[in-house]
Amino acid sequence: MLKKIALFFSLCLLVAVQTQAQKKSKKDYLVTITTSQGVMRLVLFEDTPKHRDNFLKLVKDKYYDGTTFHRIIKDFMIQGGDPNTKNDNPNDDGAGNPGYTIPAEILPHHKHIYGALAAARLSDNMNPSKASSGSQFYLVENKEGVPFLDGNYTVYGQVIDGLSVIEKIADQPKNFMDRPTTDIKMTVTAKKMKKKQITKLYGYHYE
């Protein structure tokens, strides 16, 4: 009898947990990146949880605020998220990180399409496991996508509003190292919203 009671309560607990998970899944975080060139809004993919959770943590800690898009390449991508860009030495831009990497979460259905958010990382010869930088990311600027990067870098989000801002940033004057001659600083926030509202406002459809 006691075993049956214990089993009953276990099932009730499981149902409660599943119900709570379903309730949580009805909402998502809308990420907003504000720059001098305009505002971009993104969603982060739930099936890349390590990257998603890390990005949200850094946003909550205001880690990205004041950093710049330090590398821009027209018809390719714009890159940012390096804490070194907050200092006065432009020569160390691109080398900064929070002191850790993130295990790769490379999934075949997440492609480098226009507006994709992906993690920067060290090259294969230094990083055969393809682990991602703890903070640096890039946004695909090419309208045709950059499929040659598929399977090599973790794609973990998508710009759903403000795609033209990526192009504006990529069009800015830069030096021989692809660094903008004028700093393009960012402020990043995240707000929890109902998925239905995100779809209504920005036309993004969840699978």
Side-chain angles (χ1 to χ4, degrees):
M1 183 66 179
L2 289 175
K3 288 184 178 179
K4 289 183 178 180
I5 294 174
L7 178 60
F8 173 78
F9 280 110
S10 295
L11 289 172
C12 288
L13 179 61
L14 179 61
V15 170
V17 169
Q18 289 177 336
T19 301
Q20 185 64 25
Q22 289 173 352
K23 287 181 179 179
K24 286 182 179 179
S25 69
K26 292 181 180 179
K27 290 188 176 183
D28 194 11
Y29 283 96
L30 180 70
V31 174
T32 300
I33 300 178
T34 303
T35 76
S36 57
Q37 299 301 315
V39 177
M40 296 170 281
R41 294 181 175 84
L42 308 82
V43 292
L44 306 174
F45 300 144
E46 294 175 342
D47 55 1
T48 52
K50 294 183 178 69
H51 287 72
R52 174 188 170 93
D53 291 349
N54 178 70
F55 192 93
L56 290 173
K57 180 184 182 301
L58 294 179
V59 171
K60 183 180 179 180
D61 293 343
K62 300 186 182 301
Y63 183 92
Y64 288 122
D65 293 0
T67 62
T68 74
F69 282 99
H70 64 274
R71 185 173 176 235
I72 57 174
I73 303 176
K74 183 65 179 173
D75 295 325
F76 185 29
M77 61 89 216
I78 60 174
Q79 183 174 336
D82 182 353
N84 287 355
T85 60
K86 292 183 180 182
N87 65 33
D88 296 326
N89 179 15
N91 295 319
D92 66 359
D93 290 358
N97 60 75
Y100 59 83
T101 58
I102 308 169
E105 294 180 297
I106 299 172
L107 301 174
H109 56 284
H110 291 324
K111 307 292 187 182
H112 283 80
I113 63 173
Y114 182 39
L117 165 69
R121 64 174 179 83
L122 293 175
S123 59
D124 286 356
N125 61 330
M126 300 175 63
N127 177 31
S129 66
K130 303 184 190 301
S132 301
S133 164
S135 63
Q136 291 195 46
F137 63 87
Y138 58 92
L139 301 172
V140 175
E141 190 266 341
N142 193 314
K143 290 184 178 180
E144 302 300 319
V146 283
F148 67 90
L149 295 181
D150 291 344
N152 289 296
Y153 295 79
T154 297
V155 176
Y156 63 101
Q158 177 66 37
V159 175
I160 61 173
D161 182 61
L163 286 165
S164 62
V165 177
I166 306 177
E167 296 179 51
K168 289 179 182 178
I169 292 174
D171 283 334
Q172 297 307 299
K174 62 181 183 177
N175 63 20
F176 70 98
M177 295 181 66
D178 295 320
R179 186 186 189 279
T181 53
T182 300
D183 285 351
I184 304 171
K185 295 184 178 181
M186 70 180 82
T187 300
V188 188
T189 60
K191 179 182 179 181
K192 206 164 193 179
M193 294 175 60
K194 290 182 178 179
K195 290 182 176 179
K196 286 184 178 180
Q197 186 177 6
I198 291 175
T199 298
K200 182 178 180 180
L201 290 174
Y202 305 108
Y204 179 76
H205 294 279
Y206 291 88
E207 295 181 358

